[in-house]
Amino acid sequence: MKKITLALCLSFFMAGCNTTSSDPNTFTSQCSYSELQSDPPLTFTVTGVNEAVLDGVICSGSLDAFENMLEHFPSVNTFKIKTIPGSADDETNLTLSTVIHANGITTHILSGGMVASGGTDLFLAGVERTSSDNHPKIGVHSWASSDGRNGNTIPHDDEEHQNYLDYYQEININPDFYWYTLKAAPADNMHWMSVEEMKHFHVLTK
């Protein structure tokens, strides 16, 4: 699971915690309370012909929410991100992020916004990646398995790494970035990337 707790990102977290919406422009991930641990689910809010604002935690219903949004608004090609602090479902996150990249979508972090953990994986899916801030808040750390193992303790040739390596290859990110995230911080902590690190790994494309 690649997710940080609300306590770690409280000063950046702004979304509400509704799982349904009467707004026809809003598409909210339908996920269980236990899965989210009271955190807001990822919501796609279409704000223009070509753009949607993203906010919340990626969870099992996020791929369905994305596909539902795209069915109603097929011209959306830019995701403007408020806060995505992580993912409660890594498998869904990697699938969703791969599809985002395949659809040629651009990702942009809004001023004062934040991505971390699985949220960083989703941001990197953008074919173009930009930010309103010169030094956006982008967090990385090692993943943890359901049995409590940290990715940074598992040998590099272990198949546990392959899904992530395949994902980074699919979105044209150097796999060195994956190994860097494992060393940057353990699963229960977070490393906030420096400007130099972002430049080194080409996190932003402009």
Side-chain angles (χ1 to χ4, degrees):
M1 180 178 294
K2 297 183 77 177
K3 176 185 171 189
I4 60 176
T5 64
L6 191 60
L8 281 175
C9 63
L10 184 60
S11 61
F12 307 98
F13 218 78
M14 299 172 287
C17 191
N18 296 318
T19 55
T20 60
S21 173
S22 58
D23 183 352
N25 294 338
T26 298
F27 302 84
T28 302
S29 306
Q30 302 298 305
C31 305
S32 68
Y33 180 86
S34 59
E35 179 185 355
L36 289 166
Q37 300 175 357
S38 79
D39 292 336
L42 184 66
T43 297
F44 302 81
T45 302
V46 178
T47 56
V49 175
N50 300 318
E51 65 182 43
V53 173
L54 274 59
D55 203 15
V57 173
I58 303 156
C59 50
S60 60
S62 295
L63 179 60
D64 289 340
F66 166 77
E67 291 178 340
N68 193 15
M69 179 214 67
L70 210 59
E71 180 180 351
H72 287 82
F73 297 95
S75 63
V76 168
N77 59 20
T78 300
F79 283 165
K80 294 189 173 182
I81 298 170
K82 286 185 177 180
T83 300
I84 306 180
S87 62
D89 186 319
D90 288 354
E91 184 177 352
T92 294
N93 184 35
L94 293 183
T95 302
L96 168 62
S97 299
T98 300
V99 173
I100 287 171
H101 184 81
N103 275 273
I105 292 173
T106 289
T107 52
H108 176 83
I109 301 174
L110 294 168
S111 180
M114 180 268 279
V115 295
S117 189
T120 298
D121 291 330
L122 186 148
F123 173 69
L124 289 172
V127 292
E128 297 289 344
R129 301 178 297 275
T130 58
S131 171
S132 294
D133 296 326
N134 292 329
H135 185 183
K137 200 163 187 70
I138 299 177
V140 296
H141 65 172
S142 175
W143 52 265
S145 62
S146 57
D147 59 4
R149 292 189 302 162
N150 270 253
N152 60 4
T153 66
I154 299 173
H156 280 204
D157 59 355
D158 194 290
E159 63 181 12
E160 288 278 350
H161 297 295
Q162 199 58 50
N163 284 343
Y164 293 101
L165 290 171
D166 288 346
Y167 169 65
Y168 286 118
Q169 181 177 5
E170 185 70 25
I171 64 169
N172 301 315
I173 296 294
N174 191 315
D176 287 349
F177 178 79
Y178 170 69
W179 303 118
Y180 151 78
T181 66
L182 297 188
K183 296 177 182 178
D188 60 355
N189 207 331
M190 189 63 58
H191 171 73
W192 301 104
M193 296 185 72
S194 67
V195 171
E196 291 73 22
E197 288 170 326
M198 292 179 199
K199 289 179 179 177
H200 177 76
F201 289 108
H202 305 288
V203 170
L204 302 177
T205 58
K206 294 182 181 178

